[in-house]
Amino acid sequence: MPPTDKRRKNPSCPHRPPCPAADAADREAAHIVASHPEQGWALRCNGVLAFEDTGELLPDGQVIAPHRRMVRTGAAA
């Protein structure tokens, strides 16, 4: 039976505790291993490319749409 823990052992992840897998709900908690803020992206230990607009590109090519919270502007009525 495959492991159900989304913090599977990743041989390329030296972090303790291990970084969450790319398909885990908490994938954004993985350590950043390369960052180019001038280009608006960062590569996480689990292979996820995270973009400054909160969109993501997973290692399998799946695109996660930006999920930034909506911020209300103006005075409350």
Side-chain angles (χ1 to χ4, degrees):
M1 178 183 282
T4 57
D5 183 10
K6 293 293 184 177
R7 291 186 184 270
R8 304 183 267 255
K9 297 265 182 188
N10 179 351
S12 63
C13 178
H15 305 111
R16 295 291 174 244
C19 290
D23 60 348
D26 61 345
R27 67 180 152 262
E28 295 173 358
H31 289 258
I32 293 175
V33 295
S35 177
H36 289 274
E38 71 282 1
Q39 296 177 356
W41 62 269
L43 176 64
R44 296 190 181 278
C45 184
N46 55 9
V48 172
L49 274 173
F51 298 96
E52 69 180 11
D53 69 352
T54 69
E56 298 170 328
L57 180 60
L58 304 186
D60 65 1
Q62 182 181 355
V63 175
I64 306 297
H67 46 278
R68 181 178 289 161
R69 287 169 140 179
M70 295 294 293
V71 177
R72 296 184 95 182
T73 58

